[in-house]
Every structure is written in C-alpha cells, then in structure tokens.
Amino acid sequence: MVDAPAVPFPSQRLSRAPAEPPRLRSIAHLRRFRRDQDIYGQEERNDTWYRVISGSARKYLTRADGRRQLVDIYLPGDLFGFTSRVHHRFAVQAVADQTLIACYPRWRVEALAEEDSATAREIIVQSFEALERLQEQMLVIGTVTAQEKVRHFLVYFHDRVSAGKDDSLALPISRYDIADMLGISAETVCRAFTDLRESGVISLQGPRHIKIMRRPSR
Amino acid sequence: MVDAPAVPFPSQRLSRAPAEPPRLRSIAHLRRFRRDQDIYGQEERNDTWYRVISGSARKYLTRADGRRQLVDIYLPGDLFGFTSRVHHRFAVQAVADQTLIACYPRWRVEALAEEDSATAREIIVQSFEALERLQEQMLVIGTVTAQEKVRHFLVYFHDRVSAGKDDSLALPISRYDIADMLGISAETVCRAFTDLRESGVISLQGPRHIKIMRRPSR
DNA sequence: CGATCATTTGACTCCTATCAAAGAAAGTGG
DNA sequence: CCACTTTCTTTGATAGGAGTCAAATGATCG
C-alpha cells in the first residue's frame, strides 16, 4: 500500500535524505563525530537541534543502576534533539564512525519556524515521524517473548533502513544496542538470533548481515 | 526546578487546560463519548484531529493474537490523532464515561498551520509532549522487574495527573490497562501492587486510590 | 439484591537474567 | 602484513521471575 496523499504533511519520505527547507539549511553548520562520541549529553542544556547527514546515532539514557536504555536510532535525514524542555533528558551519541551532523542553533530554528511555514512544517513532520518510530518500538517491546521482540525489531528496523528494497539488512548496531532497546539482556538477544536462524525465520551471512525469510503477522 | 524559559515553546504548561489558539478553537466541534467508545478506529482514515476537553482516552492497538497494546493515555488538554500518515495505526477510545472531545477537521488544521504560527506552534508543542510521554514510558517499560515497572509507572502517571500537588493519585484506569501499557499480565500488576504495599512503597485507600510513600531513584 | 466486572491470590511451568567462559571479528601498533 | 589486544558474539548452567490457568473475593451498577 503506497500512499501518495495530497496533503501538506506527506506520509512517507521517498528518500532517506528529505528536502531540507533552504532557510533551515542556511543556519546549519556541520560537525563530524567519532564512534561513541556524544553529540549531546544527558541533562545538557538544549541550545541546538541536529540532523543526521550521514552515519547514525543512538538516543539513550544511563539509569541510576548503570543500565542503559536506548529509545531511538537516528539515520540520515532524521532531525533530532528537539524538545520544548530547557534541558535534555537523554543523550545522543554517534554509532558509526565519522558520523556527519548538521547543527542548528535552537533560537534561530524557533524564530524561523515562527515566520517560515516550510520550517514549521518540517519540524512537525519530523516530530510526527519520531512519534511513529517510538510507537512502533513500543509495539515491538510489548510482545511477550524475547524471540518475538527480536523478530519484530528486525522487521521494524529493516523497514527503516532499507525502505522495502529487499529482505536483507545490514545492522549498524550491536547485540547490546538491540538488547538495550528491547529491555532484555544481550545474551537473550543472541539466543533469539540463533533460534530464529534455526527455525528458518532469518538467515545470517555474518553477525551483522541478516536476511528476513518469514515476516511475523502483526 | 521550575523552568520559565523565554522561548517560543514553553517547557511546561502551567495548567492541564492549555491556551488553545483562538483560530484553532473556532474550527472545533464538540462530541461526547461513552466509556470504551471508540473516538477513532485502527486503520481508520485520518481526517480529524482531536483534543481532550474532559475525561480521558487510551490509544491502543489490538494485535493479531488478540492481545492489546496500550501506548498512551490522553488527559484534558492533550491534542491527539495527529500523524502524517493517511490512515491511523492505532485506535483511541474513551476511558471515562462522558468524555468530552473537541474535533478539528484535519485539512483545516493543516491549512491553518500554514498561515497561523500560533497554530503551528501548538501542534509542535503538543507533539513534543507526546514524544516525551512515550520516551518516559519507554523508560518505565525498560526496567527489569514487574515491580519496578509498576512503581515507575505510578510515579510517571502521578506526575502527569496531579502535577506534583501531593503524593496521592486516583487512577482512572484498570489493572488491565496498566498491564497492557507495561507489556505484562494483569495478575502480575496485581501482585506488584500487593508487594509494593507490603513493602511500604505505596499505600492503598481503595484499589484505584493510591498514595506514593517512597519514590524510586531514577 | 443479584449480576457483572475488577481485583486479588494460588499453583505450576516456562522463560529470561545472571554469571561464566569460549570463539569470532575487528581494530592497533610494530 | 602479522601478532596482539580488545570488543563483539555465542553458548552453557542455574536460579528467580513472570505468564498462564484457575478460582475466590471485593466492588459496582442496574
């Protein structure tokens, strides 16, 4: 089912690099980040909004007990760091090495959104997409068994990364990342991979290169 | 820590009934819903956006296996039903009887957002808040034990409902709702309530009326 | 006051977290 | 380019926790 709605907020971006409003682009500056380097930290002041140009990033939080909770993965085109709070609640760090990020001063984005409806619309579309990602992820986490969680996660993530091209998927993230996203242990994630492979649901070329053979009914 | 930022998108609404932009209000019409009545259905066309005036609503989805996943609870002032998709992925139904909902035709809201920055800002603020609720909920779900999930959920929900007035909380939702929100069984939720009461973390006046005695470190 | 629904408790099995360690892959420095 | 180190992935053993089925109690509504 392909949607091609005649509405201001398009249902699906056709490419992973969406049209950035020109006036928004003009206030950006670019920065490169190393693997695992923080783009912004937990509880940091929210002065800047960001967009992934290339590479990927994880949004996460470290709990009092040291456990890490991952709430989103950002891919090229994704705007992030926006909130109406003064301080961030989560941190975001680069996953891939040499991740390229566009940085926008918050006050300038907000001022621009006031007068330029294309910018306002871009913020709205991007936050809607973030919302839908989070909801999908909640569905994934809400399944009962670990095997189902991993299976649904792979399908969800495949649809994000490879936009329905084929059924193979190159994972940019580790088993630990998946575990911290799903709220289960990394060992359990591994066992789920093994079980899914043995039951023919997925096949593995390498640990990070999977192919989805059978999709779950959602 | 009270935030009073001099920025266009205020950090916290001071009351549960925020200032609705006048031009947005002018395109609304009001509807009442009975308990458990659908405000919109899963896979329904997204033609209308909504706001809770009084009462409450749950956003949920019924899975292929019949299990229900709850992803958000809407309280007075919350705007909902917005997405950039053509069809809804979730359904929303009234929790409380006689829930009063303002309905906005989607095309008129979108047209208004194009020319009226106050409307665009309201959409942005509301979707940011929805995002933050979902993230908080993900933190809740991401804790290890069921007892922790329930405990964190009660704190999270208390902060939403009673806005820090005191430590008591009147739950508008059932154990089943909580279970479907946390992805655990209703029996386990009950046991968690019992255990939390016995260990003095909460006290119960009635099943739906709790008092939080000790907060978890987050 | 009876009927229905929500909440609570019990018993049992299966699943997953945890601790431990081995094997595979990838990055580093000579 | 190779040896070495580090990180990532996989597998094993065990104990505790949660799902499920079942039933009793408590609350609510007509």
Side-chain angles (χ1 to χ4, degrees):
Chain A
M1 181 182 62
V2 177
D3 298 321
V7 293
F9 309 145
S11 158
Q12 270 140 4
R13 282 178 283 150
L14 295 178
S15 77
R16 288 296 320 162
E20 183 184 32
R23 300 186 59 185
L24 192 54
R25 160 161 301 188
S26 70
I27 63 172
H29 78 270
L30 296 177
R31 285 184 62 192
R32 270 194 192 285
F33 291 87
R34 294 186 309 277
R35 187 179 113 98
D36 295 342
Q37 185 184 353
D38 271 17
I39 296 166
Y40 63 81
Q42 212 165 310
E43 305 298 333
E44 190 174 293
R45 241 187 119 77
N46 180 351
D47 297 322
T48 314
W49 292 359
Y50 309 86
R51 186 195 302 269
V52 180
I53 303 302
S54 71
S56 51
R58 58 172 80 88
K59 183 173 202 174
Y60 73 102
L61 176 149
T62 306
R63 296 172 188 279
D65 64 1
R67 276 174 22 92
R68 188 180 66 150
Q69 177 73 45
L70 234 142
V71 295
D72 205 356
I73 302 279
Y74 297 123
L75 298 176
D78 291 335
L79 192 72
F80 66 93
F82 48 77
T83 169
S84 49
R85 299 164 52 112
V86 173
H87 296 276
H88 288 291
R89 177 112 170 72
F90 295 82
V92 172
Q93 66 181 192
V95 172
D97 208 19
Q98 296 300 309
T99 289
L100 188 62
I101 302 289
C103 308
Y104 313 91
R106 172 178 173 172
W107 71 270
R108 295 198 64 181
V109 181
E110 290 184 344
L112 197 51
E114 288 291 310
E115 55 166 272
D116 177 34
S117 68
T119 296
R121 202 189 313 135
E122 169 71 358
I123 296 170
I124 290 172
V125 167
Q126 290 274 350
S127 70
F128 283 8
E129 292 193 2
L131 261 173
E132 267 143 43
R133 286 198 303 272
L134 256 59
Q135 284 173 359
E136 282 302 315
Q137 213 191 307
M138 215 158 259
L139 286 181
V140 170
I141 297 176
T143 57
V144 180
T145 65
Q147 208 177 118
E148 274 181 305
K149 288 183 210 213
V150 171
R151 186 180 188 185
H152 278 90
F153 173 79
L154 291 176
V155 170
Y156 154 79
F157 204 66
H158 169 268
D159 291 349
R160 278 199 68 195
V161 172
S162 31
K165 274 180 296 234
D166 64 351
D167 290 329
S168 69
L169 167 63
L171 284 175
I173 57 177
S174 72
R175 303 286 191 262
Y176 286 94
D177 287 326
I178 298 175
D180 290 343
M181 202 141 196
L182 301 181
I184 59 182
S185 72
E187 295 93 328
T188 301
V189 173
C190 276
R191 283 183 245 270
F193 268 92
T194 304
D195 295 345
L196 290 172
R197 178 172 49 70
E198 287 177 352
S199 59
V201 173
I202 61 172
S203 73
L204 294 172
Q205 273 71 48
R208 299 280 186 105
H209 189 197
I210 71 155
K211 193 167 190 175
I212 298 172
M213 314 301 280
R214 289 205 319 267
R215 289 185 167 240
S217 61
R218 61 182 202 184
Chain B
M1 183 182 63
V2 176
D3 299 320
V7 294
F9 309 146
S11 159
Q12 269 142 2
R13 283 180 282 149
L14 295 179
S15 78
R16 289 293 320 162
E20 183 183 32
R23 301 187 57 184
L24 192 54
R25 159 161 301 188
S26 70
I27 63 172
H29 79 270
L30 295 177
R31 285 184 62 193
R32 268 193 195 284
F33 291 86
R34 292 186 309 277
R35 187 178 113 99
D36 295 342
Q37 186 183 354
D38 272 16
I39 296 166
Y40 63 81
Q42 213 166 309
E43 306 298 333
E44 190 173 295
R45 241 189 119 76
N46 180 350
D47 297 323
T48 313
W49 293 358
Y50 308 86
R51 186 196 300 269
V52 179
I53 304 301
S54 71
S56 51
R58 58 172 80 90
K59 183 173 202 175
Y60 73 103
L61 175 149
T62 307
R63 295 173 189 279
D65 64 1
R67 275 175 22 92
R68 188 180 65 150
Q69 176 73 45
L70 235 143
V71 295
D72 205 357
I73 301 280
Y74 297 124
L75 297 177
D78 292 335
L79 193 72
F80 66 94
F82 47 78
T83 168
S84 48
R85 299 164 52 113
V86 173
H87 296 276
H88 288 292
R89 177 114 171 71
F90 295 81
V92 172
Q93 66 181 196
V95 173
D97 208 20
Q98 297 300 310
T99 289
L100 188 62
I101 302 290
C103 310
Y104 313 92
R106 173 179 172 171
W107 71 271
R108 295 197 65 179
V109 181
E110 290 184 343
L112 197 52
E114 288 292 309
E115 56 165 271
D116 177 36
S117 68
T119 296
R121 201 190 313 135
E122 169 71 359
I123 297 170
I124 289 172
V125 167
Q126 289 275 347
S127 69
F128 284 7
E129 291 193 1
L131 262 173
E132 267 143 43
R133 285 199 302 271
L134 256 59
Q135 285 172 357
E136 281 302 314
Q137 213 191 306
M138 214 158 261
L139 286 181
V140 170
I141 297 176
T143 57
V144 179
T145 65
Q147 207 176 121
E148 273 181 307
K149 289 184 212 216
V150 170
R151 186 180 187 184
H152 278 91
F153 173 79
L154 290 175
V155 170
Y156 154 78
F157 203 67
H158 169 267
D159 290 349
R160 278 200 69 196
V161 172
S162 31
K165 274 179 297 233
D166 63 352
D167 290 328
S168 69
L169 167 62
L171 284 173
I173 59 177
S174 72
R175 303 288 191 262
Y176 286 94
D177 288 325
I178 298 175
D180 291 343
M181 202 141 196
L182 301 181
I184 59 182
S185 72
E187 295 93 328
T188 301
V189 173
C190 277
R191 282 185 247 268
F193 268 93
T194 304
D195 295 347
L196 289 172
R197 178 172 49 74
E198 287 178 352
S199 59
V201 172
I202 61 172
S203 73
L204 294 172
Q205 272 70 48
R208 300 280 185 104
H209 190 198
I210 69 155
K211 193 166 191 175
I212 298 173
M213 313 301 282
R214 288 204 319 267
R215 291 186 165 239
S217 62
R218 59 184 203 181

